[in-house]
Amino acid sequence: MPINLSHLKNTSLDVRADILTMINKAGSGHLAGPLSSTDLLVSLYFSNLFNFYPTDPKNPQRDRFVLSAGHLALALYSVLCRAGFFDEELLSGFSQLKSLLQGHVYHHVPGVEYSSGSLGQGLSVAAGMALADKKDRKKRFTIALTSDGEHNQGQVWEAAMFANKYSLSRLINIVDKNGIQIGGTTSQIMPLDDLASKYHEFGWQVYEINGHHFPTILRTLSYAKESKEKPVVIIANTVAAKGIPYMEANYKYHDIKDFDQEKFKKALSQLNKLSKFK
Amino acid sequence: MTSKITKKNYSMRSAFGKTLTRLASAHPNIYVVDIDLKDSLKLTDFAKRFKSRFIETGVSEQNAAAVAAGLALSGKTVFLTSYAAFSPSLNWGVIRQSICYNQAKVIIVGSHAGLMTDEQGATHQSLEDIALMRALPDIDVFSPADARQVKKILPTLIRGPRPAYLRLVRASAPNFTDPKSSFTIGKAQVLKRGTDLTIVGHGPILKNALLVQKDLKNISLEIINSPSIQPLDEKTILTSVKKTRHLITLEDHQVEGGLGEAIAPLLLKNPLNAKMKLLAVQDEFGQSAHDYEKLWDHYGLGIESLKTAIKELLK
């Protein structure tokens, strides 16, 4: 089935609008990361490169997606909803008392494999899953999404060594490298320097791409699935808060606590402008 | 019905390694995630016989706990093995999120708990593991009293639906639990019936309570082994204290967050007009020594300290 690029672009715009709407309704939420990772998630769930079953989320044939950076939940919730895992109604309750949609990603939500929020753990969990599949001779894939700030954690590098030791070739780590973290730019807080070289030295197959260019993302995902021995990292260079020009690349929009109606309208109108020029 | 203390010493770690290796033949889903301590946890044989199910992470407690969670979320029954001083402490946040919150059935085995670690000293003496694990939701916490009980606990943990923490000690020690008793989650065992004072404890140190009874002929002690610390057998403990009105808790662990502090609120909720004393390490680090009895004496947990505590409480 050929992938329709304008469908992906439109879906991304819809997802970004969902993110803004959920934050506006809740009054607060994480913004920059969900917006920077949107195109990556849409590429996964709206192409034929990732195998999932919206009406049977635990189907044993499914590929597994582990969101390690749990604060990107808003993007994943919207994508899962639009992929058919649950009704839109659920989105409107984001982060309210007794809502399934917890502020950080929650495994009781249909389609979510793993709850996270405390950074640095998901790549190890994904490695454990990929190892179980390898032992069971299952051919499915485990895909993790990590953030660049998350790579401050030593555990990520423990997982990198582990995945190499066990030749987890069906493990793919997509790094949303948006250049910011909660307290500043990643280069200010803890420079990652040449992340690609680091992963290369750790024995991984490395791709570094523009994380907003759909043809490149899709092509790279299909290359990644061809790995025979090495685990694969896709370092996706992205723009924090992508789609809302006045917020883009500014670490102060990592999360937002007073997303009032005025700011919401301004952000949405900038997104709509983007929509017109797609 | 007084339990007999064996003259011979038995290793909890050997009981663990041998029993798990035996059970692994019948349970193809059993995996070990080891943090470079396989000889110490007596898993060398498991590693040889079940090479494919023995996962070695190296000295990386955090990665190991999360890898274990990933395996468990894929249907495996996973034993995460290390020293209690490292796992669960270096990786507590990983156990909290990746194992407990995600409901990944991992059995965390922490060896070398308490003061019974020979020359190794404070860095290797975990006196806080029970406090760390008790504070978490959705995990059971067990501290068996002897090697005999370790053998009985493992099949229960394999069958159980939840993550669990299993506390082991380094040194060999006598068996003193009833060979015929079974192990049930949430159940304590009365080792000796009595009427004047209840002693509740966990781990090999509970042997001292049985020994003290021999010296105190005029005092009738009821001695309860509580290997299931979470969930706790409130009924057995409260029934005993209702009778004796005097309670001493005995454990090779910090007083903070241990078994004593798990039981104390029960006496507030159920006013029995009982007196209570908590015998445990009083907020200090351990140290090296080649005889754990001497360490217990030094930290106020030995036989003489127990005798004094009993007499003072009954005054």
Side-chain angles (χ1 to χ4, degrees), chain A residues 11 13 46 64 76-77 93 104 106-108 120 127 154 164 188 209 216 241 271:
Chain A
T11 304
L13 280 171
F46 293 88
R64 289 187 283 184
L76 182 60
Y77 291 158
H104 288 87
Y106 188 42
H107 65 281
H108 288 292
N164 176 47
Q188 285 169 339
I209 62 165
T216 306
L271 194 62

Side-chain angles (χ1 to χ4, degrees), chain A residues 15-91:
Chain A
V15 168
R16 289 191 167 96
D18 285 348
I19 293 167
L20 294 174
T21 308
M22 282 190 274
I23 296 179
N24 173 246
K25 190 131 194 273
S28 64
H30 289 88
L31 191 68
L35 293 172
S36 65
S37 61
T38 293
D39 297 334
L40 299 167
L41 287 167
V42 167
S43 300
L44 262 192
Y45 282 87
F46 293 88
S47 67
N48 51 7
L49 295 164
F50 183 71
N51 192 27
F52 60 93
Y53 303 82
T55 55
D56 180 19
K58 296 286 175 194
N59 187 302
Q61 301 300 318
R62 75 193 186 280
D63 292 328
R64 289 187 283 184
F65 175 72
V66 172
L67 180 57
S68 184
H71 62 288
L72 309 185
L74 279 167
L76 182 60
Y77 291 158
S78 166
V79 165
L80 290 175
C81 176
R82 290 182 176 277
F85 280 90
F86 51 83
D87 287 344
E88 224 169 86
E89 211 178 304
L90 207 53
L91 293 183

